Amino acid sequence: MNDDNGLAAKNVNNRLPISSGLGKFFKYLLVWGYFFITFGLFLWVLMTSFKDNSEIFSSPFGLPSSFDFSNYIFALTNVNMGLYLWNSTVVTVATVLLCLAFGATISYALARFEFRGNMLVYILFVIGLTIPLQSLIFPMFFKMDDIGIRDSLLGLITVYTALNLPKTVFLLVGFMKGLPKEMEEAAIIDGCSYWSVFFRVILPISKPGLATAGILVFIAAWNEYVFASVLISSDIAKTLPLGLASFQSSQLSEYGLIASGVILSIIPVLIVYVIFQEQIIKGMADGAVKG
Amino acid sequence: MVQQRWVLLAFILPTLLFYTYFFLMPVTSTLIDSFHEWDGISDKVFIFLENYITLLQDPIFYKSLVNTLYWVVLVIVLQIPIGFFLAYFIYQKIKGFKFLRTVYFIPVITSSVAISLAFSFIYEANFGILNSLLKLVGLDHLTTAWLTDPITAMTAVSLPFVFNYIGLMMVILFAGLQSIPDELIEAGEIDGVNALQKIIYIILPSVRNVLFICLVLGISYAFKQFDYVLLLTNGGPVHLTEVTGTYMYKQGFSQSNYGYGNAIAVTMMGIVIVITLVINKVLKPKD
């Protein structure tokens, strides 16, 4: 029996490469073709960011003649990219912190306690996951206008926090439900209040879950465009995506400058991605699969 | 213990109030406002279903819906298949697969604005990559202004969207592939199936549920991710590249027709929720 299996497996191994000659071609074409498109595009924008217009026209695909940072310096100082970068950082960091604070507290209650309405509250957040967020754009606009924080970083932070809460709560409830209960129970028997259990036990052991949720919110807030374009009208409150988009219309012919803006906007999120990539990939796949 | 019950409220209430005020209330406003005629300034006039009746007879809305469905088709024929094969090849642990996976995922974490700008460089009529390449190989007659040419505009504006999420489809399917038991694949190999049969009869049925998830996700992105149209063509030339999202956006912010805009928003929500429910239903018995 064992022998038979071994023989059959060997046969297959012999047969596979022949029958999949075309398959192999397709495989390498796709794997490297798509690699070339993604990586090539990134490299090309990077190279372009070091060139001036005359060089872009004379050698669009070549290496830049020198690594000249003048496009970056011009972008950061003369066209306010420095300010936009700062605004994006403030909005993103505040959104992440608020989402985690709001998300962790309610998730602890939902994951660990049985009370009337528990399921209902949880479902309200799950419904939030299925709604295409962009369809909330009009009421969000008027609500922010009514409160008087529409055209401000505070308004953006509020909207982004609200929009990202469903997925934060969903991920954190899932994570906290999977945690072992022994430590908490011991702490409660020792006479700790729920607050100290939350701060001393739950938060420390939830770090991986908080990190995943935090990173996903970070990426979403850093890259968001549609809501920002509607809410923000004054230059002083613009975030990077907005700055970049207005760049495209105002500096239309300065390709090197636009490319430097694109690179500036990608780099922070790329750094976060390279550091946390396992967590990001897993978090996104989990969020999607379980959502 | 009674006191502790009250403490529990402190965990729930702040978030619940915030969420209700800034998320759930906007959802209900969208719904309520869709039954009104409103220019954003004067009083709202209740007109019940009139916006929806107008919507049903609005040729531009149908055009935008068809274009959005074109994105759904692209999700099915390009995004998911490419994502699947990338995942499948990487799953076979080819050399450098970790590095490849890292690179494939970059578009997923990149902002739509950056991707749009990169694609506007590709499509640019004079020095853009696409036209430069065509000239390089002597196909000058094929060069065109991709985003304004009525024949190419819709596809040109759709490709960045496809590109944006291939990496996401890949990692979801990759997770699905990893959960296939080795015995199943080995059993197939023992039965002597070839590479193609292996994919059709063993791999695809095993990741069926994950494929459905990709489909639901892709459809919801097709309806909500209209950044690319807004940034690259703004729906033009003459509504040829209009999608439901941009049409909604314009009805509100350029036509001050907020009631109608909200009716489009509710229709979008409805379509996405119904599709999600139907696919979940189809999926359930086999779970």
Side-chain angles (χ1 to χ4, degrees):
Chain A
M1 186 64 192
N2 266 339
D3 262 29
D4 268 11
N5 280 353
L7 203 68
K10 217 176 193 173
N11 264 340
V12 172
N13 280 339
N14 284 339
R15 208 178 325 144
L16 263 178
I18 304 163
S19 68
S20 61
L22 193 70
K24 220 168 195 168
F25 172 74
F26 173 67
K27 172 173 165 176
Y28 288 107
L29 183 75
L30 188 70
V31 165
W32 293 107
Y34 192 64
F35 171 82
F36 183 77
I37 292 173
T38 4
F39 204 57
L41 199 56
F42 176 73
L43 273 186
W44 187 73
V45 176
L46 186 67
M47 292 301 122
T48 306
S49 74
F50 293 110
K51 296 174 181 172
D52 60 18
N53 263 2
S54 66
E55 202 181 345
I56 292 168
F57 286 116
S58 60
S59 80
F61 301 116
L63 284 169
S65 54
S66 67
F67 284 96
D68 175 6
F69 281 89
S70 58
N71 282 328
Y72 288 90
I73 293 163
F74 190 82
L76 286 171
T77 54
N78 287 35
V79 272
N80 275 343
M81 287 299 274
L83 173 70
Y84 306 151
L85 198 66
W86 170 248
N87 287 344
S88 270
T89 310
V90 170
V91 169
T92 306
V93 170
T95 303
V96 169
L97 292 178
L98 274 175
C99 267
L100 292 183
F102 277 132
T105 45
I106 202 166
S107 301
Y108 170 57
L110 291 175
R112 286 307 208 220
F113 297 93
E114 297 207 356
F115 53 90
R116 217 181 307 152
N118 182 319
M119 203 55 200
L120 176 73
V121 173
Y122 182 66
I123 285 173
L124 287 178
F125 286 97
V126 173
I127 289 173
L129 275 181
T130 57
I131 288 176
L133 299 176
Q134 282 76 351
S135 55
L136 302 180
I137 202 147
F138 303 125
M140 284 292 193
F141 176 87
F142 288 107
K143 178 150 259 173
M144 291 298 125
D145 216 38
D146 287 347
I147 311 174
I149 56 170
R150 178 177 62 78
D151 189 11
S152 71
L153 297 186
L154 183 62
L156 272 188
I157 294 167
T158 310
V159 171
Y160 289 176
T161 305
L163 294 179
N164 284 296
L165 262 180
K167 83 176 160 225
T168 310
V169 170
F170 178 75
L171 280 168
L172 288 179
V173 169
F175 186 84
M176 289 181 181
K177 275 191 172 160
L179 292 174
K181 283 189 174 157
E182 290 79 20
M183 278 161 79
E184 272 171 86
E185 281 160 2
I188 288 180
I189 290 166
D190 284 351
C192 285
S193 70
Y194 287 151
W195 280 109
S196 52
V197 171
F198 177 69
F199 282 109
R200 295 204 198 136
V201 181
I202 296 292
L203 283 189
I205 55 174
S206 297
K207 262 187 201 149
L210 293 170
T212 305
I215 293 161
L216 295 187
V217 175
F218 178 96
I219 293 173
W222 184 266
N223 290 334
E224 207 287 326
Y225 171 70
V226 171
F227 278 91
S229 78
V230 166
L231 296 171
I232 302 298
S233 41
S234 57
D235 201 53
I236 196 139
K238 276 185 181 165
T239 53
L240 263 182
L242 273 187
L244 267 185
S246 66
F247 226 45
Q248 189 190 11
S249 39
S250 63
Q251 314 279 335
L252 195 57
S253 45
E254 292 294 330
Y255 300 105
L257 192 61
I258 295 176
S260 74
V262 170
I263 295 296
L264 280 175
S265 81
I266 295 178
I267 280 180
V269 81
L270 205 59
I271 292 172
V272 170
Y273 170 55
V274 169
I275 298 173
F276 297 105
Q277 62 160 310
E278 291 297 326
Q279 221 148 8
I280 293 173
I281 288 178
K282 209 183 149 308
M284 280 208 169
D286 279 4
V289 170
K290 290 172 191 156
Chain B
M1 220 41 201
V2 175
Q3 264 181 335
Q4 298 251 311
R5 280 265 160 223
W6 286 104
V7 175
L8 201 55
L9 272 184
F11 280 100
I12 298 166
L13 272 186
T15 313
L16 192 59
L17 289 177
F18 182 89
Y19 183 66
T20 306
Y21 189 70
F22 289 111
F23 194 103
L24 297 177
M25 276 171 64
V27 175
T28 28
S29 307
T30 307
L31 208 61
I32 294 169
D33 290 352
S34 73
F35 298 123
H36 289 80
E37 189 182 324
W38 189 37
D39 59 7
I41 302 160
S42 37
D43 287 342
K44 298 175 187 177
V45 183
F46 182 74
I47 52 168
F48 197 40
L49 292 175
E50 212 168 293
N51 283 327
Y52 291 94
I53 294 167
T54 318
L55 196 65
L56 285 174
Q57 297 159 336
D58 182 345
I60 302 172
F61 175 70
Y62 282 111
K63 179 71 196 160
S64 71
L65 195 60
V66 167
N67 281 339
T68 307
L69 293 176
Y70 177 63
W71 282 23
V72 173
V73 171
L74 289 180
V75 165
I76 297 170
V77 302
L78 283 179
Q79 214 171 54
I80 296 178
I82 294 176
F84 171 79
F85 281 108
L86 288 175
Y88 184 62
F89 295 144
I90 282 181
Y91 165 73
Q92 296 172 331
K93 301 268 147 67
I94 60 168
K95 221 191 285 171
F97 82 96
K98 279 222 159 126
F99 177 66
L100 286 171
R101 198 183 58 170
T102 303
V103 171
Y104 292 158
F105 204 68
I106 289 177
V108 185
I109 56 148
T110 306
S111 78
S112 55
V113 181
I115 292 179
S116 294
L117 286 172
F119 272 80
S120 69
F121 286 172
I122 294 178
Y123 295 137
E124 211 275 338
N126 300 313
F127 91 108
I129 300 185
L130 202 53
N131 281 351
S132 303
L133 283 178
L134 286 172
K135 281 176 200 158
L136 212 65
V137 293
L139 291 169
D140 293 47
H141 61 284
L142 287 180
T143 62
T144 177
W146 302 93
L147 288 168
T148 47
D149 185 326
I151 300 168
T152 58
M154 188 57 207
T155 302
V157 83
S158 311
L159 290 180
F161 162 74
V162 174
F163 175 72
N164 197 166
Y165 296 112
I166 286 176
L168 184 60
M169 299 302 175
M170 179 204 68
V171 302
I172 296 170
L173 287 160
F174 185 76
L177 288 171
Q178 278 181 321
S179 66
I180 303 177
D182 287 342
E183 300 82 52
L184 197 65
I185 294 174
E186 279 160 20
E189 280 169 1
I190 289 160
D191 287 343
V193 296
N194 66 31
L196 195 62
Q197 286 170 326
K198 188 164 117 187
I199 292 176
I200 295 173
Y201 296 113
I202 302 172
I203 307 287
L204 283 180
S206 312
V207 293
R208 182 175 169 277
N209 287 0
V210 186
L211 281 171
F212 273 114
I213 289 161
C214 289
L215 189 62
V216 172
L217 205 65
I219 292 170
S220 90
Y221 280 129
F223 274 92
K224 68 184 185 188
Q225 183 55 290
F226 57 89
D227 306 28
Y228 295 111
V229 180
L230 214 53
L231 288 158
L232 289 171
T233 63
N234 198 20
V238 276
H239 298 299
L240 266 178
T241 60
E242 205 79 75
V243 290
T244 49
T246 52
Y247 194 46
M248 167 197 81
Y249 183 100
K250 286 184 190 168
Q251 280 302 323
F253 295 118
S254 19
Q255 318 270 334
S256 290
N257 210 345
Y258 291 99
Y260 196 55
N262 276 312
I264 301 173
V266 172
T267 311
M268 280 163 60
M269 272 189 228
I271 294 175
V272 171
I273 291 174
V274 166
I275 291 176
T276 310
L277 289 178
V278 166
I279 293 183
N280 269 332
K281 203 95 208 170
V282 174
L283 208 127
K284 262 276 146 57
K286 304 250 177 182
D287 225 7

